[in-house]
Amino acid sequence: QINLLKERKQILIHKAVTQGLKPNVTLKDSGVECIGEVPEHWEVKRLKNVCYINRNALSETTNKDFKFRYVDIGSVSLEEGIDETEEYSFKSAPSRARRIAKSGDTVISTVRTYLKAIDFVNEEKAEYIYSTGFAVLEPESFIYPEFLASFVRSDAFTEQVTINSKGMSYPAINSTDLSRLFVVHSNINEQKEISEYIETVTNKIETATSLKQQEIEKLKEYKSSLINSVVTGKVK
């Protein structure tokens, strides 16, 4: 049931960011197989035409005692986003700890792309320093930040990343190839409506998933208690 809820979430996000919320809108072919049909008034553009990529990084002249929380590829997942960080000073940090992200940006892994390590950067996460294994996407003014994050998380984009990644055991995509991938968008007000809808749906699904997880934990506790009661002779 949890897996079905996760699958349902991805389907709803994909449909919202590629077809919008109006059921009877006229559609056109996007020309991109992973995206499919989109509303007639939407635009199809390459990623490099809707956002800046990797604009900011720590320089080699950064104060050696500068302390920060570092985010590596393995610390991020599609479902949970950033789930842990490590604290370093610049002098002791890995050489790949360089990417800077601002609030409203989106980070996406360009190495081990099968992990789909993607997250939206809020004010707290803007304090982190990210691995050079991430691309930092800074949306243009006509792109609503949360909409870009949702599109990048959707199958419409992650499948493009997978197709264009190179390497078998350690698939990766360089920033140039990433910048050529396609995104679609409507006007910014419609993007905002879609983002609010996705947030509502996501919260409902995450609540349902949490309840299922609680059921599993209670069943585990019951199983453990039952075994203990039987082997100690408390019940026949």
Side-chain angles (χ1 to χ4, degrees), residues 56-75:
N56 301 297
L58 291 178
S59 73
E60 293 305 318
T61 59
T62 300
N63 188 319
K64 303 296 182 186
D65 296 321
F66 169 61
K67 294 186 183 301
F68 57 85
R69 291 165 70 184
Y70 169 62
V71 181
D72 201 359
I73 300 296
S75 305

Side-chain angles (χ1 to χ4, degrees), residues 21-136:
L21 307 179
K22 297 172 184 175
N24 299 317
V25 68
T26 304
L27 300 175
K28 66 180 179 183
D29 184 8
S30 68
V32 184
E33 187 176 351
C34 298
I35 297 175
E37 292 187 319
V38 299
E40 200 169 40
H41 64 287
W42 284 29
E43 295 188 59
V44 182
K45 293 181 179 177
R46 294 189 186 274
L47 185 66
K48 64 183 178 182
N49 297 130
V50 303
C51 67
Y52 301 102
I53 302 175
N54 299 333
R55 278 224 293 185
N56 301 297
L58 291 178
S59 73
E60 293 305 318
T61 59
T62 300
N63 188 319
K64 303 296 182 186
D65 296 321
F66 169 61
K67 294 186 183 301
F68 57 85
R69 291 165 70 184
Y70 169 62
V71 181
D72 201 359
I73 300 296
S75 305
V76 185
S77 68
L78 184 66
E79 291 296 330
E80 304 297 332
I82 298 168
D83 58 15
E84 66 176 326
T85 60
E86 297 175 90
E87 191 164 320
Y88 287 102
S89 62
F90 185 75
K91 63 186 174 186
S92 61
S95 59
R96 59 186 179 277
R98 292 291 184 273
R99 296 263 190 260
I100 296 173
K102 302 196 312 296
S103 180
D105 292 352
T106 295
V107 293
I108 176 172
S109 60
T110 55
V111 296
R112 287 189 286 166
T113 49
Y114 56 84
L115 292 176
K116 298 180 181 180
I118 303 167
D119 202 7
F120 178 70
V121 179
N122 57 22
E123 288 186 9
E124 179 189 355
K125 295 169 185 176
E127 300 295 321
Y128 304 161
I129 298 299
Y130 295 82
S131 167
T132 51
F134 288 104
V136 179

Side-chain angles (χ1 to χ4, degrees), residues 46-49 53 174-182:
R46 294 189 186 274
L47 185 66
K48 64 183 178 182
N49 297 130
I53 302 175
N174 62 50
S175 58
T176 301
D177 288 340
L178 183 74
S179 73
R180 292 178 181 143
L181 302 186
F182 291 95

